[in-house]
Amino acid sequence: MNDMKMLWQLYWAFLRIGGLTFGGGLTMLPMLKYELVEKKNWITEEELVDCYAIGQCTPGIIAVNTATFVGYKKKGVAGGIFSTLGMVTPSLVIITLVAACLENFMDNVWLQHALMGVRGIVCALMLNTVITLARKSLVDGFCCVMCGIVLLLCLLTDIPTILIVVVSALCGIIWEKIRLRFAREERP
Amino acid sequence: MMQTALELFWEFFKIGLFAVGGGPATLPFLMELTKVKPWYTMEQLTNMIAISESTPGPLGLNMSTYAGFQTLGLFGGLVSSFGLVLPSVIIIILIARFLDNFSQNPYVKAAFYGVRPAVTALIAAAVLGLCRVSLFVEHNGKLTPAVGAVIIAVVVFGLLQVKRLKKLHPALWFLVGAVIGIVFRL
């Protein structure tokens, strides 16, 4: 019975986090800290930062990864599943409602004018996201070359996205190996 | 319908498994889907991004739920979001159980060192494709710029470089865009 209560608490905590933060990823950290560290005392701040680091270096949605990790630490596999369900619920409900409304009014002329204006905004915001990302991720020569090659490949060919992700991970590992070997040879 | 549901699940399972870097990293995959599946168009994807950014919840999850809804209604949204989070749940539980210090592992670090710039390029290419579809209208096989949307994009992009305006909520920008769109009948 106590177990069940804890699982529901996990569900509700992540439902609140998912339902009250916009954008996900980094913007979610303060909210996670407030709910999990300060309010519930479930994990320490260091543990949260660890969870977050794991969430960022595994594939998938960062917020979902963090939710699963925290839930698993608290209550095993069931905890991970309940936390994730909590995170998914608000998106599912809100998006379904908004999408259903929007689809009903799609033929409306005013809505079409409005969406045309929104298009420009989407482009501006997304371009800005790319620039922020590039500033953060292009830290040295290797990264710039890697980014340049992939960008050309994407624009000129139809290589599947999955293939690019896998090959670039291998490139990272091979490059580190080469670098380590050179570093060792330089030493007398 | 069952066939589509299974395909939907499988496509979003793959996205959950390979979209490294969260929300924006799902965009190249969602865009790839417009080419191979008849589920939604690039124009619809633009609307999906706007809605997903101005509603609460993680961006990637919102976009995937929307894409699923676009395909098969409420059931589609359930299937796509389930497919998207399933790899996360499996991978994270495996890591938490069997791998200590996963994020400090030299191989993991090296792999991410390679993936990060590649994902940046993938997202950049996807955004360029998005701009092409959003800001240009195809007319008799010729691309002509949608002047109003282009002006909005350029001006707002410029404004976003101002530090104070950068922090404004995306929903606020969308509202501004919608009002301009209605006033000028774009």
Side-chain angles (χ1 to χ4, degrees):
Chain A
M1 200 55 212
N2 217 357
D3 277 3
M4 211 50 219
K5 205 179 156 199
M6 183 66 204
L7 288 177
W8 281 114
Q9 282 199 351
L10 281 168
Y11 178 82
W12 277 113
F14 282 98
L15 189 141
R16 274 197 301 273
I17 295 168
L20 292 175
T21 37
F22 289 80
L26 271 177
T27 51
M28 211 160 260
L29 197 54
M31 190 68 191
L32 285 167
K33 195 178 138 201
Y34 171 73
E35 278 283 339
L36 305 175
V37 180
E38 285 161 19
K39 209 167 131 193
K40 301 278 188 191
N41 255 318
W42 282 341
I43 50 173
T44 65
E45 200 173 339
E46 288 77 47
E47 283 177 308
L48 177 63
V49 173
D50 279 351
C51 287
Y52 207 69
I54 301 247
Q56 275 183 305
C57 63
T58 37
I61 309 300
I62 297 170
V64 173
N65 293 349
T66 312
T68 310
F69 200 83
V70 173
Y72 180 81
K73 285 277 169 203
K74 284 316 284 182
K75 267 271 147 283
V77 175
I81 292 172
F82 270 74
S83 303
T84 304
L85 287 179
M87 186 62 99
V88 174
T89 307
S91 291
L92 203 58
V93 173
I94 296 168
I95 289 293
T96 305
L97 287 176
V98 174
C101 288
L102 208 61
E103 290 306 304
N104 275 329
F105 294 105
M106 240 1 176
D107 294 331
N108 183 299
V109 188
W110 297 109
L111 181 65
Q112 283 172 359
H113 288 315
L115 285 174
M116 200 62 196
V118 167
R119 276 187 187 188
I121 305 281
V122 171
C123 291
L125 285 174
M126 292 312 283
L127 280 172
N128 202 48
T129 305
V130 170
I131 287 175
T132 315
L133 226 91
R135 279 210 188 118
K136 244 190 269 171
S137 65
L138 304 184
V139 288
D140 55 23
F142 169 81
C143 292
C144 292
V145 171
M146 192 78 196
C147 184
I149 293 174
V150 174
L151 190 58
L152 278 179
L153 284 177
C154 286
L155 294 177
L156 301 177
T157 65
D158 271 332
I159 299 180
T161 311
I162 291 176
L163 193 67
I164 289 179
V165 172
V166 173
V167 172
S168 64
L170 290 176
C171 286
I173 292 171
I174 293 166
W175 180 255
E176 279 294 309
K177 287 250 156 191
I178 294 172
R179 202 156 65 171
L180 281 178
R181 178 157 299 169
F182 270 101
R184 224 174 283 141
E185 274 173 10
E186 271 172 24
R187 250 181 264 146
Chain B
M1 180 177 137
M2 217 46 223
Q3 167 93 29
T4 316
L6 280 175
E7 281 179 29
L8 200 61
F9 173 81
W10 176 236
E11 290 300 332
F12 281 89
F13 184 87
K14 283 195 286 186
I15 297 178
L17 194 56
F18 287 100
V20 179
T26 56
L27 189 62
F29 290 95
L30 291 174
M31 201 166 265
E32 205 172 47
L33 275 184
T34 62
K35 286 179 201 148
V36 290
K37 300 283 177 196
W39 295 340
Y40 51 88
T41 62
M42 284 280 271
E43 282 85 2
Q44 285 172 318
L45 188 62
T46 321
N47 299 340
M48 278 154 55
I49 296 170
I51 301 292
S52 300
E53 285 217 74
S54 42
T55 48
L59 179 64
L61 194 52
N62 287 353
M63 289 201 295
S64 301
T65 310
Y66 205 136
F69 181 88
Q70 203 75 260
T71 312
L72 275 181
L74 175 61
F75 179 61
L78 268 170
V79 170
S80 63
S81 52
F82 180 64
L84 185 78
V85 301
L86 192 61
S88 287
V89 173
I90 296 170
I91 291 170
I92 293 288
I93 287 176
L94 287 177
I95 288 173
R97 176 163 286 182
F98 300 111
L99 295 171
D100 280 337
N101 287 326
F102 176 80
S103 53
Q104 297 306 315
N105 179 297
Y107 282 98
V108 174
K109 275 188 163 175
F112 272 83
Y113 177 65
V115 167
R116 244 173 241 129
V119 168
T120 303
L122 282 173
I123 297 171
V127 169
L128 288 178
L130 191 81
C131 289
R132 188 172 165 268
V133 176
S134 306
L135 302 181
F136 294 85
V137 188
E138 201 164 320
H139 199 70
N140 297 334
K142 260 206 218 148
L143 281 179
T144 42
V147 182
V150 172
I151 293 173
I152 292 177
V154 172
V155 171
V156 172
F157 181 75
L159 289 175
L160 281 171
Q161 306 315 311
V162 181
K163 260 218 174 98
R164 260 197 215 150
L165 296 173
K166 215 170 204 170
K167 294 227 167 97
L168 281 183
H169 195 278
L172 218 63
W173 287 114
F174 293 132
L175 192 68
V176 171
V179 170
I180 296 175
I182 291 172
V183 170
F184 291 94
R185 304 198 180 183
L186 296 179

